[in-house]
Amino acid sequence: MSADARAATPPAAATPPVTGPRTWPLWEVFVRGKRGLSHVHVGSLHAPDATMALRNARDVYTRRQEGVSIWVVAARDITASSPEERDSFFDPAADKVYRHPTFYDVPEDVEYL
Amino acid sequence: MGGPTVATNLLAAQYIQGLADDALVYAQRLGEWVSRAPQIEEDMALANIGLDLLGQARALLTRVGELDGSGRSEDDLAYLRDEREFRNVHLLEQEVAGFGFEMARLLWFASYQWELYAGLRTSVDEVVAGVAAKALKEVTYHRDHATQWVLRLGDGTAESHERMQQALVDVEPYVTELFDDDPASVAAAESGVGVLPSSLEDAVRARVSAVVEEATVALPESARWRSRGGRDGVHSRPMGYLLAEMQHIARSNPGAQW
């Protein structure tokens, strides 16, 4: 019943194809929270252009007062490291403890360290 | 005595009920877009706008119940009134008829609500003034959302341009009713509770005209037929179906809590 009933009452003009050339591009969303110091990646969304992406981000990611500032970046403009490069990119840092600032004596009254 | 006060309060309640029913009925219509908008992001946007309107309706309906002396709650007023007791304009009860139509309707209604709430911030009724001050920020966004879409659809592809133009034609017969001065709004304007609807018309039309022009479409000539009577409780065919959907659970399960 349900399939037939739904087919009988299509929502007028509200069902463009969700794949193919009419799909909107993907945008990555960064939100700065009230007390945060920098924008943090919160997710992604689709939008036809940057202006609409910003508005969609407002609707999707800041409904509950999560932020005071939003950045959107076209996902295609992001150059990312690839999983195959993981070994050569990141593993060499594993055994270099001298890169960590753990060999200092920190005076007790220094804050924010 | 207290006679004049009661009468004044009743008129104020009628006026505020018009504002509340506009918001309530359009919230119900916008809710229909969830899962049906062009993209899930637009589902969210229209649902958010609907929920903003629902919030306005709740506060205003509660005020109506206080002023009219009936002691009815917001739920009583939303769920237990019949069609003839609703005072919303016809524009908002019309069935969902495509995304272009929705953006045309939202542009007109949000532009109207913006001017309305800007004026109501100085209402002598503290609840109305409070709702207006808060809602003005919400409506600024609604108007912007509709503006962005009308610009993109109007100045988009040949097909979207044609559909946006047709949507403006389809909405036109329902626009003028927004600016009709019914007796309750005349009284509300005189007492300082409300603003005269006709006083908003020039600013609203100027705003919509500017958007429409930038979107390379055109406002149609005045329609030969135009809607009337919403503020008197006389509604069009879709209203009964809308109320049935909105009210049937509350009416089938009286007093239910969830």
Side-chain angles (χ1 to χ4, degrees):
Chain A
M1 173 252 156
S2 62
D4 286 347
R6 272 203 301 273
T9 56
T15 52
V18 293
T19 57
R22 289 174 71 181
T23 301
W24 293 342
L26 189 68
W27 301 79
E28 300 297 334
V29 182
F30 300 78
V31 171
R32 181 159 66 83
K34 271 194 168 67
R35 287 177 293 280
L37 295 174
S38 58
H39 288 71
V40 175
H41 183 240
V42 293
S44 56
L45 51 72
H46 291 89
D49 54 46
T51 308
M52 291 306 289
L54 203 55
R55 281 162 175 77
N56 287 349
R58 179 263 192 195
D59 284 324
V60 177
Y61 291 108
T62 64
R63 307 174 73 217
R64 301 177 186 88
Q65 289 192 301
E66 288 92 339
V68 294
S69 171
I70 303 173
W71 289 348
V72 291
V73 180
R76 64 169 178 270
D77 290 341
I78 292 178
T79 308
S81 63
S82 85
E84 290 99 65
E85 294 169 325
R86 207 184 69 183
D87 287 351
S88 59
F89 261 50
F90 305 115
D91 282 0
D95 60 353
K96 299 182 173 59
V97 292
Y98 50 84
R99 290 180 180 174
H100 293 270
T102 52
F103 299 96
Y104 302 95
D105 292 324
V106 180
E108 272 181 18
D109 56 350
V110 175
E111 291 182 44
Y112 309 121
L113 257 186
Chain B
M1 285 298 288
T5 311
V6 170
T8 307
N9 281 352
L10 268 177
L11 278 170
Q14 277 190 11
Y15 172 75
I16 297 167
Q17 198 191 313
L19 310 183
D21 288 345
D22 279 354
L24 177 64
V25 166
Y26 199 32
Q28 179 72 15
R29 277 288 177 237
L30 286 172
E32 292 177 27
W33 278 101
V34 175
S35 83
R36 292 181 174 195
Q39 295 273 1
I40 194 170
E41 287 82 359
E42 193 59 28
D43 280 358
M44 294 286 293
L46 294 177
N48 283 345
I49 291 171
L51 288 172
D52 285 346
L53 293 173
L54 191 62
Q56 297 164 19
R58 290 186 60 186
L60 293 170
L61 283 176
T62 301
R63 185 63 178 146
V64 170
E66 292 166 4
L67 283 174
D68 72 1
S70 68
R72 286 178 292 180
S73 69
E74 49 176 305
D75 281 353
D76 294 336
L77 286 161
Y79 293 129
L80 301 179
R81 273 182 301 153
D82 286 333
E83 185 175 324
R84 286 289 269 119
E85 300 168 85
F86 274 81
R87 295 176 51 80
N88 55 284
V89 293
H90 287 211
L91 172 70
L92 307 170
E93 71 201 35
Q94 297 312 306
E95 285 168 348
V96 166
F99 191 69
F101 179 87
E102 204 58 71
M103 290 305 106
R105 167 156 67 178
L106 183 60
L107 179 63
W108 273 112
F109 183 61
S111 300
Y112 157 79
Q113 266 199 325
W114 197 95
E115 302 296 338
L116 173 73
Y117 285 138
L120 288 178
R121 282 177 299 178
T122 53
S123 169
V124 296
D125 187 291
E126 283 180 17
V127 173
V128 171
V131 169
K134 178 170 177 285
L136 191 61
K137 292 180 197 168
E138 298 168 347
V139 173
T140 302
Y141 185 78
H142 306 168
R143 191 177 66 171
D144 177 69
H145 189 80
T147 298
Q148 296 299 329
W149 271 117
V150 170
L151 291 177
R152 280 162 181 74
L153 294 172
D155 197 10
T157 65
E159 185 184 351
S160 73
H161 174 89
E162 191 180 320
R163 287 203 197 187
M164 194 64 240
Q165 183 60 65
Q166 185 58 46
L168 291 167
V169 172
D170 293 343
V171 163
E172 172 60 26
Y174 302 100
V175 169
T176 307
E177 190 185 357
L178 287 167
F179 310 114
D180 282 346
D181 295 332
D182 64 299
S185 59
V186 172
E190 279 171 9
S191 66
V193 170
V195 295
L196 206 57
S198 59
S199 71
L200 308 171
E201 182 163 6
D202 288 348
V204 174
R205 288 195 184 276
R207 171 81 194 190
V208 172
S209 298
V211 174
V212 164
E213 189 177 325
E214 194 184 339
T216 73
V217 277
L219 283 179
E221 297 285 306
S222 296
R224 278 193 294 171
W225 175 85
R226 50 149 298 197
S227 66
R228 295 171 200 278
R231 301 272 186 239
D232 294 325
V234 178
H235 294 283
S236 56
R237 191 187 62 86
M239 184 65 178
Y241 294 92
L242 180 145
L243 289 182
E245 191 163 292
M246 188 174 83
Q247 296 182 334
H248 86 269
I249 289 178
R251 288 188 184 249
S252 304
N253 305 276
Q257 304 271 321
W258 60 84

